[in-house]
Structure formats: structure tokens, C-alpha cells
Amino acid sequence: MPRPALAPRRRAAPRSAPRSVARSAVVPVAVLLFTAACGSSGAPAGDAGGPDGAADGSVTVFAAASLRASFTDLAARFEEAHPGADVRLNVAGSSDLVTQIIEGAPADVFAPADTASMDRVEAAGLLRGTAVDIATNTLRLAVPSDNPADIASLADAARPGVRTVVCAEQVPCGAAAARIEEAAGIDLDPVSEESSVTDVLGKVASGEADAGLVYATDIRAAGDTVLGIDVPEASDAVTTYPVAALADASDPATAQAFVDFVAGPDGRAVLGAAGFGAP
């Protein structure tokens, strides 16, 4: 059967120049779940959030695409534990989320897929308190379940004619991919560069691409739609996920309570079950 048509292959830019993004439209995903509440020990005195600073307000969480499933679960658990709280998720590529926050989008909590994205928000004076590291992740090669290009290694993904996709370098998964290429001494020639790891995974799962570098947790969540292949050099590009409340949070007590929840035992359990490593 003929392969699905793709846009013409672009030559990879030299490593010294950032890759340009073949961006797909990013539509914020709002997840409205059930409700909950309890006091927040992390909120400063006098913050909003109900009587005695109770975490029974609304909180909008901007989270990296690779955190979608885990944070959907954590939002439901938080609401169950804090009656009256309402958690809304905006899930997208970390770079897009940073831009939205800096441009004034209403956000209460930020959880990107790398510390560099959090540093950008902190440099803009938009953090409330200190960010907390909550998880780590590494990249693996994802290939379609039938592996039509017979990929077994990163070198195979660089073969002429192999349709490999990656994240753009300004996205955390793209920056990690670049470090892996450098460590392996391999220069991939991607047919497209995406604005989020879920976009890369989607192209592989649909058969539009023969291989893609995505997070191990995304491969795990994809089940039998893709196969995962270890990349030894991924140990040189471990990604750390932080979370923090934002300075302009509409309900600081609830925002901080959610941060504390994610960074606490419940959050660690959910993230660990999804395949994330400890920070």
C-alpha cells in the first residue's frame, strides 16, 4: 500500500541555527472536572480562596502536552479532596504556554516540560513563590506498530528516505532531541518539526511518519498504536518538570494548594504510575 503523502522534505538547518517550526494550530484544551476543598498551607496569609484561605475556588492550570493524562487525573483527585474547587486545564506545548502567559493569558498555575520554560516566566516576574520540580522524563523513538521502515535505532531514523519527525528546538522535547543527536553524533533530517510532543506522536501513530522522538510516557500512554525503541543517548537529555503558582493567580490559595497537591504524595503517585521519573 502506498505511504500517505507528506509535505516535501526540508533539509535540516545547521545545528548552530534554531529549527523553524512547522506549527500546527494549538487550541487550548479546557478540562472542567468535579469539585473539592481543604486549607492550603502554602498560601500567604490574607489570600483569596474562601473562608480562612480554604482551597475552594477556581484554578486554571497551564500544563505541558505530555502532562495531559496525569494532570487530568490529578485535577479530578484535587477536586475530590477539596469540595468546592474547580480545576481547568489548558494543555499545549510549553513554548506556546510561555508565550500565552507572558502576553497576559489568565493562568494560575504553570507546569511546563522543562526548567528553561519556567525560567522565562520567572524572568518576566510572573511567578508567585518558588517553582518545585515534580518529575523527570526521557525521549525514546516511537515507530508505527507495524514498523514499516524497519527502524531499530536512532541511526536508522536518520537513513535517507525515512520519514522522521521531531519537536522544534524551542519546544522542550525538541531541545532534548537536539542534545541526543549531538551526543550520538547523528544528524536527523526531519520531514517536519512540531510545536508539541503529542503532534509528533500523532504523526507516527497515524502512519504519516516512520519514526519520531517523543517522551517515554507518551509511548506508554499510546498503548499498542506505536512501538517504543530505546535511545541510549537519551540519558544525556533528561527533562525535568517544575510547577509553580503564578503572580496574577485569581485565587492564590487554591493555586498554591494545587501546586502543593501535585508536588506531594498524591501527585508523585500519579506521575510515577504514568512512567515519569522522580525529580
Side-chain angles (χ1 to χ4, degrees), residues 29-38 40 48-49 54-63 71 74-80 82 84-91 105-111 128 243-262:
V29 179
V31 180
L32 298 168
L33 303 166
F34 271 85
T35 77
C38 173
S40 171
D56 58 3
S58 177
V59 57
T60 299
V61 180
F62 279 34
F71 267 47
L74 285 169
R77 290 171 184 248
F78 180 80
E79 290 177 338
E80 184 178 356
H82 297 76
D86 179 32
V87 181
R88 304 178 181 189
L89 299 182
N90 175 22
V91 183
D108 305 311
V109 171
F110 183 39
R128 180 183 186 83
V243 65
L246 296 174
D248 293 333
S250 59
D251 186 337
T254 304
Q256 186 61 50
F258 185 80
V259 169
D260 294 342
F261 185 81
V262 171

Side-chain angles (χ1 to χ4, degrees), residues 1 3 9 141-165 204 207-212 227 229:
M1 182 178 293
R3 291 174 169 171
R9 180 187 292 270
L141 270 175
V143 300
S145 55
D146 57 350
N147 196 6
D150 195 24
I151 303 296
S153 67
L154 189 65
D156 289 339
R159 291 194 322 249
V162 173
R163 300 170 303 167
T164 298
V165 291
V204 174
E208 292 181 73
D210 298 317
L227 298 176
I229 298 170

Side-chain angles (χ1 to χ4, degrees), residues 13-26:
R15 184 60 60 212
S16 59
R19 288 171 173 160
S20 59
V21 190
R23 294 172 72 105
S24 53
V26 176

Side-chain angles (χ1 to χ4, degrees), residues 147-272:
N147 196 6
D150 195 24
I151 303 296
S153 67
L154 189 65
D156 289 339
R159 291 194 322 249
V162 173
R163 300 170 303 167
T164 298
V165 291
V166 297
C167 293
E169 273 195 57
Q170 59 264 45
V171 182
C173 58
R179 293 197 299 273
I180 288 174
E181 290 179 62
E182 182 177 1
I186 292 172
D187 190 17
L188 298 174
D189 186 12
V191 294
S192 71
E193 296 164 335
E194 305 299 325
S195 61
S196 76
V197 70
T198 51
D199 292 336
V200 174
L201 185 64
K203 289 200 169 185
V204 174
S206 68
E208 292 181 73
D210 298 317
L213 278 168
V214 301
Y215 292 120
T217 53
D218 291 285
I219 292 175
R220 180 170 178 167
D224 59 5
T225 62
V226 299
L227 298 176
I229 298 170
D230 289 335
V231 178
E233 292 79 10
S235 60
D236 295 316
V238 176
T239 299
T240 298
Y241 291 66
V243 65
L246 296 174
D248 293 333
S250 59
D251 186 337
T254 304
Q256 186 61 50
F258 185 80
V259 169
D260 294 342
F261 185 81
V262 171
D266 291 279
R268 298 293 173 87
V270 169
L271 291 165

Side-chain angles (χ1 to χ4, degrees), residues 112-128:
D114 67 339
T115 55
S117 294
M118 185 67 79
D119 290 344
R120 289 176 58 195
V121 173
E122 182 177 24
L126 298 176
L127 288 194
R128 180 183 186 83

